[in-house]
Amino acid sequence: NAGVTQTPKFRILKIGQSMTLQCAQDMNHNYMYWYRQDPGMGLKLIYYSVGAGITDKGEVPNGYNVSRSTTEDFPLRLELAAPSQTSVYFCASSYGRTGNGNSPLHFGNGTRLTVT
Amino acid sequence: TQLLEQSPQFLSIQEGENLTVYCNSSSVFSSLQWYRQEPGEGPVLLVTVVTGGEVKKLKRLTFQFGDARKDSSLHITAAQPGDTGLYLCAGFSPITNTGNQFYFGTGTSLTVIP
């Protein structure tokens, strides 16, 4: 059982370049999330989705876009990379709305992105 | 602004020692979770607490939810090198009308020295 799979694991971008971070889950979870993790700041929610075709902004959405065409996939798009987007990005999924004791978050292993 | 503050931010102890990590907020949470994250991996859920004053034990780990549901603590007894990692608390707080009602703490990086 693969769980949540993220690709790539590492990426270096130049300022102004674009890229898509891929995320796929095989647990048939309705809810999917993108977080960024910066030292000493914990995890900040970028975007989330409650099901195919439905997405919404989290705490720090500026500079990112998402789509959810299928239940399994939730890609994150960076259009014009900036140094402030250097971070580790985590995709997660849950069966129900997170925070519910029966719906823990399942995380991928992250994508480490450096923008120079 | 951080809704959940954790302390200490870094902790380095010898194997066999006890330690406590704190997760504090001025807001009330309907539930709180603790995750552990190892280098190069995503966080993994350890426990969920939902009732004020609730205490849960997971082997050598004891989790407590404050009576007012604004804070939580994680106590590790006789720490082992395998406990090394980043510990994150996360709370569900329906305090806004936005969809984002789940917040992570700032994290505590624990190193247990053999």
Side-chain angles (χ1 to χ4, degrees), chain A residues 3 7-10 33 40 42 57-59 62 70 81 96-98 101:
Chain A
T7 56
K9 292 185 185 300
F10 304 94
Y33 315 82
K57 296 178 180 178
E59 296 178 78
N62 291 343
T70 67
R97 185 158 198 171
T98 189

Side-chain angles (χ1 to χ4, degrees), chain A residues 37 44 48 59 90 97 99 104, chain B residues 2 31 35 37 45 99-100 105:
Chain A
Q37 185 174 38
K44 297 289 190 182
Y48 68 100
E59 296 178 78
F90 286 97
R97 185 158 198 171
Chain B
Q2 289 287 149
S31 68
Y35 289 79
Q37 182 180 14
L45 180 70
N100 177 33

Side-chain angles (χ1 to χ4, degrees), chain A residues 37-96:
Chain A
Q37 185 174 38
D38 301 296
M41 299 296 291
L43 288 145
K44 297 289 190 182
L45 183 65
I46 305 171
Y47 271 95
Y48 68 100
S49 169
V50 302
I54 306 171
T55 63
D56 207 346
K57 296 178 180 178
E59 296 178 78
V60 290
N62 291 343
Y64 308 94
N65 280 300
V66 293
S67 59
R68 184 94 181 271
S69 57
T70 67
T71 299
E72 294 77 19
D73 300 298
F74 190 40
L76 176 71
R77 179 82 177 164
L78 283 71
E79 290 293 350
L80 290 170
S84 61
Q85 292 178 306
T86 293
S87 187
V88 182
Y89 292 85
F90 286 97
C91 179
S93 70
S94 63
Y95 177 73

Side-chain angles (χ1 to χ4, degrees), chain B residues 44-79:
Chain B
V44 175
L45 180 70
L46 294 173
V47 76
T48 301
V49 286
V50 296
T51 305
E54 182 176 2
V55 177
K56 280 192 173 180
K57 292 192 176 186
L58 187 65
K59 296 183 181 178
R60 293 176 293 99
L61 278 61
T62 301
F63 304 86
Q64 184 162 9
F65 202 11
D67 291 341
R69 290 184 290 133
K70 292 183 178 181
D71 54 82
S72 180
S73 64
L74 158 61
H75 183 78
I76 301 179
T77 303

